[in-house]
Amino acid sequence: MAIHRETGLPFTAEKSRQIYERTLGVLIEGSSSSSRGPANFGKYPIFMDRAAGSRIYDVDGNEYIDWMMAFGALPLGHAHPEVVEAITQAATSGAHFATATPVELEVAEMIQKIVPNAERVRFANTGTEAMMAAIRLARGVTGRPKILKFEGHYHGWHDDLLVSSNVLPAAALGLRSDPVKIPDSSGLNRTALDDTIVVPWNDLPALQHALENHPGQIAAIITEGVMANMGVIPPADGYLQGLQKLARANGIIFILDETVTGFRIAPGGCQEHYQLSPDLVTFGKALGSGLPVAALVGRAAIMDALQWGGVLHYGTHNGSRIGMFAARANLRVLTRDHNASFRHSWKISEKLCSGLRQLLQKKGRAAIVQNVGPMLQIMFTDRPAIRDYRDFCQHVDRAAFQKFVLSLFPFGVYASPSAALHSIVTLAHSDEDVELTLEAAGKALDAAA
Ligand SMILES: Cc1ncc(COP(=O)(O)O)c(C=O)c1O
């Protein structure tokens, strides 16, 4: 029986179980997104009540060190005082007007200063929405119908890109030279998928081959900078630069999806870290520090097509005043003291990753830890590295990972139990959090064995 770290009492999630039972009469899978329900969280999810800094507390009073951090939406951790103050200020003076507001300009200018290609900025609410606008813009500006995405990359839940981003048995994927396009959902507009080309990632010859097969038809190549929806898979050396070169040479718009990596890997995201020059970039998650704020940024020559009469992009809640207040406070804290928050999260992440690697070795478990800065994932595999979607589907034991993470909960550590997601280090995490997590991880590995 696991003993709760703070109270010294046996761990129980009984209240969560009772609430879950009650939700079944009204909510689907107990929550508002399938990724939060039993598919990932076992019999029932833990219902959370409140949070502060690196800690989150459930309805039974259990305290956890939170490494999920709202799927990356909280780069400063929970309830950072400056974000709380900003949100309070906006709430008491008008949360949203759906008019032009000066704070929108301030946040846009801050982004312009931080993000290399942000000649123009347009706000949205979610990564999905920003990506929808980016695709429409690319099609509008080029007059071309097709878009190219990569196997295992997730860019939101809209129809155009909801293909080959779920984990599947390796035998379903077809040949690397001609991947089978696998819709991720029922109810998709199949004709939308006709115009979506799917290519293996980290493979420049495969990309070149696809471009040669569709001359003059591809509006955009869309990629994550770090593959963040199959654990954490870094780009191979020179891969993103090669992709950019091929896009340019073929008159194709290069869309970099920084929904996960933005304001996380570096102030200017993967664009800065890998020295890229994309045409359009989408941001979400970390931008609003817990509020739904997303942005599409890019070159003026392309972005200006969003003007009235060109490519349409609307949204009642775009650039909400309360979201902009949160984003402004967030960006101020993130970039303070010459971007000290980024140095902090990289340092804590290195400590956590090396501690986990040592622990897994000591326990004799076939597992690796892959990370890029503050994004990390444990992968139960006998391979020395996981390099792409096919590797992940074939060689990663997702059930073992889920069992391990669910075994962490009673020892006071919270993370996403989905092997395809990852953990996030924030400004709020400390050396002590790492030490307690490593101790808990040792116990959870024994419990899950
Ligand atoms: C790389 C990437 N792009 C886009 C999205 C969609 O963002 P949102 O969930 O805010 O719609 C996600 C969400 O996880 C993502 O990981």
Side-chain angles (χ1 to χ4, degrees), residues 434-448:
V434 172
E435 281 146 27
L436 291 172
T437 298
L438 293 174
E439 201 183 310
K443 292 178 188 163
L445 284 169
D446 293 341

Side-chain angles (χ1 to χ4, degrees), residues 278-303:
D279 299 303
L280 297 175
V281 179
T282 56
F283 294 103
K285 297 199 190 256
L287 180 53
S289 214
L291 269 78
V293 181
L296 169 63
V297 314
R299 301 196 186 294
I302 299 170
M303 290 288 289

Side-chain angles (χ1 to χ4, degrees), residues 157-204:
W157 56 276
H158 55 100
D159 285 12
D160 280 297
L161 293 169
L162 213 49
V163 58
S164 302
S165 48
N166 276 341
V167 185
L168 292 159
L173 309 180
L175 297 177
R176 179 173 270 279
S177 54
D178 184 23
V180 176
K181 266 198 312 201
I182 304 162
D184 296 326
S185 171
S186 292
L188 294 181
N189 176 352
R190 299 302 163 106
T191 57
L193 292 187
D194 287 348
D195 280 330
T196 304
I197 301 161
V198 178
V199 176
W201 197 60
N202 262 345
D203 184 343
L204 280 178

